[in-house]
Amino acid sequence: MKTTLKKASLLITGVMVGGKLFAQTPDTTISSANYAEPFSGGDKLRTWSIGFHGGMLSPSTILVNMSRQDFRSPRENIGYGAYIKKQLMPSFGLQLDFLRGKLEGGVGQGTTNSFNTPQSFSTDLNWSAALSGQFTLANINWRNKKSAIQPYITAGGGVIAYRPNRVNVDGSVSSFNDGGGNIHKMYIPVGAGVKVNMGSGINLDLGYQVGFVNGDDLDGYTFARNNDKFSYAHVGLEFSLGSRSKPEMATYNPVNSMRTEYLRKAQDLQGQLNTQKEENAKLRTDLNATNENLAKLSADSDKDGVPDMYDKCPGTPAGTQVDGSGCPIGKREVKVYVTEEDKKVVKDAINNLEFDFGKASIRSKSYPSLDKVAQLLVDKNFSLKLAGHTDNVGSDAANLKLSKARAESIKSYLVSKGANASRVEATGYGKSQPIASNKTAEGRQQNRRVEFTLY
């Protein structure tokens, strides 16, 4: 008896120490592995598990003095069992238990010289089935992701099937059964223990259970008419069912998941902020580059009043009078003549000139002939007058603006190809100078034009 109590005491001490340790897995990272968002449903967690265990069955318990039992000398035997559990919430689950083994004891209570006083008993516990509620403790914590050690308590009810054999004082054996089979009684299992997380979905299960039988014939002997009890101390393994990527509900910490979600969103916001800073820095770099290019466009190194990009005579000495191309006046006093070939180049440019409808943007098919005009202006230093005209569709102001814009657009293109800006004049006349009737589509088409005058 003392040995039994010592073993049981050591087990309960281990349970209590495990409950105080509340060993936790620190949450030092924000990882999507084995993580579920706060308030996730059961489909995001593993809720089913199975377990297998073995241990020590005894007719003695830590709750009752053996002097009040039918037999004073308990003997321990091996027991084993299994269970399937459905976790309904992080702190509570329902468990269906199965248990089998043997109970033995000696030195029965009563008068020593009485024939009916038994010397020992042996009961085959053929099976027991019980449905219990299991309450998990200490798995809620703000600072840690999940418990490494989880204390629990259980309580439930079920049926136990057994067949006792009693050895009498004279050595005879009395067997008891229920009409030739097992005796069936209701019983209440109550227990406590700890589960130690050993990896993803695997827990070491250490527990102690007391079974309260609704009867006094578990040992085949009735003394003082007290209901019989037995204890079972076990060690086993529990395996969670389902995808390994999902956390176990029994070890899942819903409170800490809210903290993890907060940290994750803060991390995402920080990442977005860093990205925005990088984009702002790139915009600043682009703006600086644009400002540098603008400065180059307006640069006038020789201070002659003509920007470098249009200056065809760079490095002109200070005080020298220059023309629109930046060259000294008088340096280019060369007479040139407009030939028929020159006129043909201009005529081709006029015939091929097209704009986008209602706009001043030149269509690309006009570029080749305009390029020839620009080269002509560069080679012979000609001057060119551009006169924009429109039909009578629209207001006077709109037509005048459009004709001026189209003439300026052609000038800009020619200057971009090397023509001297000071030798190109762009004027808009709107609808004031038609060359055909505006009453017909063909006439209006002829009136929408830009005239080139080369001199």
Side-chain angles (χ1 to χ4, degrees), residues 344-356:
K344 184 179 183 303
V345 171
V346 172
K347 185 178 180 180
D348 288 343
I350 295 173
N351 293 336
N352 292 321
L353 183 61
E354 288 188 10
F355 295 92
D356 290 331

Side-chain angles (χ1 to χ4, degrees), residues 14-24 138 149 151:
V15 171
M16 297 304 294
V17 170
K20 290 182 179 181
L21 285 177
F22 299 142
Q24 305 280 335
I149 295 179

Side-chain angles (χ1 to χ4, degrees), residues 213-251:
V213 182
N214 186 29
D216 192 23
D217 58 356
L218 181 64
D219 50 17
Y221 180 58
T222 301
F223 178 78
R225 298 190 179 277
N226 293 320
N227 285 350
D228 289 331
K229 307 167 187 64
F230 67 94
S231 65
Y232 176 54
H234 71 267
V235 59
L237 290 175
E238 180 183 43
F239 302 91
S240 293
L241 305 179
S243 173
R244 292 172 60 88
S245 63
K246 298 179 180 179
E248 303 173 69
M249 181 179 282
T251 60

Side-chain angles (χ1 to χ4, degrees), residues 390-396 399 430-431 434 437-439 444 447-448:
T390 66
D391 58 25
N392 68 342
V393 179
S395 66
D396 292 348
N399 283 321
K431 61 182 181 181
S437 173
N438 281 311
K439 294 181 179 181
R444 289 192 296 272
N447 289 332
R448 296 191 295 269

Side-chain angles (χ1 to χ4, degrees), residues 155-178:
V159 177
I160 186 170
Y162 55 91
R163 180 177 294 181
N165 294 292
R166 188 183 70 195
V167 179
N168 299 309
V169 69
D170 63 350
S172 62
V173 177
S174 300
S175 298
F176 300 87
N177 56 63
D178 188 6

